[in-house]
Amino acid sequence: MGCVRIVGATVVDGSGRDPADLEVTIEDGLITQVGPDGGSGERLDAGGLTMTPGLIDAHVHLGLSSPIQPQFSFQISAAEIAADIFATAGGALDAGFTTVRDTGGIDGGVVTTIAKGKVRGPRVLSCGPVQCQTGGHGYYGADWEPTELWSSHHLPGLCALSMMSGNAAELRANVREAFRRGASFLKLCVTGGVVGAHDRLTDTQFTVEEIAVAVEEATARGTYVTVHAHNNEGIRNAIEAGVRCVEHGTDIDESTAILMATRDVALVPTFAVVEQLLHNTAGAGLGESTRDRVQGVRERMTQALAAAKEAGVRIGLGSDLIGPVQDRRGEELALRAALETPMDALVAATKTNAEILGLSGEVGVIAPGMQADLVLWDGDPLQDPKIFANPANAIVVVQAGRVVKDLR
């Protein structure tokens, strides 16, 4: 794509500023000019459409794109798992998500295959396999199966859900292995979870000293640790150990929120997966027991969001969708818009997520010098945020200056 002027769109630049009718000029994959007159270049008519930055989902599981229980019990072939992963990646792009942070399930080969353009998909940052306590959240082996056999189910280059550590030394070895496989950050499970086998939401997992080992290894590589965490005790352990981000944060209270703000620890709430598991548990390939575990989580996560916002915590946005039904990824923005404002949801999914992912200055806002990741929407999602939820409303998607979807 050479020099292109996108004209006629109402631009919502991701910074939180009011929308404006502006021309945007793209050249060599970058935004070169934003203004009333974008200068010369090929004209792309976007009359009547709304332009936003490419959306960012800070909590995805591309590697969990098949029915969950059959995948966890190894009833699905590697070929089918790969097909499901790449279909989900393409679907994310079609929904307007040009960048995603994979928080566990894929191995490095998926990231590089998408980056090479061999399959359609967003820019992917990945933690590789999730780091888990022996028998803790993220372990789904049969009760009779020895823990050491769990990793034998990994599919190198494709799929690696989690690694088990029984102590700090094992965790250090496992995080080094994750980095060897191409991880760009780390994720630890420090509490139980909703889709759990051997744990409860109230459980804490890993000690402060153990979590600190992962932080030390991440820091040595110029990156960070985020944690799956629902309860305050686990969150506080992680903060003390030096993590930079908390996923879910279901039970965050006022004092924990203040501690997060003081230590500049970000939060990524995940409402879409809660709705998914409440209303379509079977569609994710999970049993009804999962629905029982998720009861009350939505209300508590809503209260946690309010406490974090009041304390001034940096709050991103993630869908956490799992299973084969991941086509309505933008539902997360619609859910957040109902709890805050549509502009708040958009900024969380663009500018703030870019900051959390370490991509600030590259993506997340529409400004000169930024990557040309853009979406043209049919209608005004600030007036009707449900527009974000339907991929058909993403009329044009531009990734790094290249049109990857065009329904005009």
Side-chain angles (χ1 to χ4, degrees):
M1 191 175 187
C3 182
V4 174
R5 294 164 54 216
I6 303 177
V7 301
T10 300
V11 176
V12 189
D13 67 7
S15 70
R17 285 191 290 264
D18 290 339
D21 295 330
L22 301 169
E23 294 184 14
V24 176
T25 304
I26 300 170
E27 191 167 3
D28 296 329
L30 298 177
I31 298 168
T32 57
Q33 190 170 342
V34 179
D37 180 4
S40 62
E42 178 188 345
R43 177 187 171 101
L44 190 157
D45 186 2
L49 304 178
T50 301
M51 180 191 296
T52 69
L55 303 180
I56 302 170
D57 191 335
H59 193 121
V60 309
H61 291 289
L62 297 180
L64 302 181
S65 296
S66 304
I68 300 300
Q69 286 185 334
Q71 181 175 350
F72 285 174
S73 53
F74 317 110
Q75 300 172 34
I76 303 177
S77 71
E80 186 173 348
I81 291 171
D84 290 342
I85 288 172
F86 294 131
T88 295
L93 200 58
D94 287 338
F97 289 86
T98 53
T99 301
V100 299
R101 182 179 64 159
D102 193 285
T103 51
I106 58 172
D107 219 347
V110 172
V111 178
T112 55
T113 298
I114 295 172
K116 288 177 180 178
K118 294 194 172 185
V119 295
R120 297 178 71 246
R123 177 186 297 103
V124 182
L125 283 69
S126 170
C127 69
V130 184
Q131 304 300 322
C132 303
Q133 175 180 293
T134 301
H137 186 66
Y139 178 71
Y140 299 98
D143 290 344
W144 57 264
E145 183 179 66
T147 300
E148 57 267 22
L149 294 182
W150 175 248
S151 293
S152 68
H153 298 300
H154 289 181
L155 301 173
L158 179 67
C159 180
L161 177 62
S162 55
M163 302 176 81
M164 300 297 125
S165 301
N167 54 51
E170 290 179 4
L171 180 60
R172 191 182 296 276
N174 282 342
V175 301
R176 288 176 175 175
E177 172 65 10
F179 281 125
R180 185 199 67 77
R181 296 185 192 181
S184 55
F185 68 100
L186 297 175
K187 178 188 170 189
L188 273 62
C189 292
V190 300
T191 76
V194 171
V195 183
H198 306 277
D199 57 280
R200 301 162 299 173
L201 287 177
T202 52
D203 292 350
T204 61
Q205 296 172 5
F206 285 129
T207 64
V208 173
E209 293 74 21
E210 288 168 335
I211 301 168
V213 165
V215 172
E216 181 182 9
E217 292 292 332
T219 302
R221 292 162 179 81
T223 188
Y224 67 96
V225 175
T226 191
V227 292
H228 158 105
H230 288 277
N231 65 63
N232 284 297
E233 187 174 354
I235 293 169
R236 285 174 171 272
N237 286 344
I239 293 171
E240 183 177 345
V243 309
R244 304 308 307 158
C245 189
V246 171
E247 312 295 313
H248 314 302
T250 300
D251 290 319
I252 289 172
D253 58 18
E254 180 181 353
S255 61
T256 302
I258 291 171
L259 180 63
M260 290 176 67
T262 301
R263 301 284 184 89
D264 194 23
V265 175
L267 170 67
V268 178
T270 53
F271 288 93
V273 70
V274 176
E275 293 297 310
Q276 178 189 35
L277 296 179
L278 280 171
H279 301 295
N280 193 20
T281 312
L286 290 163
E288 286 301 305
S289 62
T290 301
R291 190 196 305 271
D292 296 335
R293 292 173 71 103
V294 82
Q295 293 293 337
V297 168
R298 177 177 54 193
E299 293 76 15
R300 290 167 15 231
M301 193 177 287
T302 299
Q303 295 167 0
L305 172 64
K309 193 173 179 69
E310 176 67 23
V313 174
R314 189 195 310 269
I315 306 172
L317 178 144
S319 69
D320 193 22
L321 295 175
I322 56 175
V325 185
Q326 299 192 30
D327 55 324
R328 292 178 65 85
R329 190 169 300 282
E331 187 74 37
E332 186 70 27
L333 281 86
L335 293 168
R336 282 284 293 277
L339 299 172
E340 302 177 79
T341 70
M343 182 66 86
D344 289 337
L346 177 64
V347 172
T350 53
K351 177 178 180 289
T352 304
N353 268 355
E355 293 169 354
I356 292 171
L357 271 58
L359 297 176
S360 183
E362 298 179 47
V363 297
V365 296
I366 299 172
M370 305 292 283
Q371 286 266 10
D373 286 5
L374 307 167
V375 186
L376 294 168
W377 301 93
D378 183 12
D380 183 357
L382 296 185
Q383 295 298 317
D384 180 10
K386 290 182 180 178
I387 287 173
F388 286 126
N390 186 350
N393 293 323
I395 302 299
V396 177
V397 179
V398 179
Q399 184 185 41
R402 187 169 61 91
V403 176
V404 294
K405 177 186 179 185
D406 190 349
L407 300 182
R408 289 177 301 156

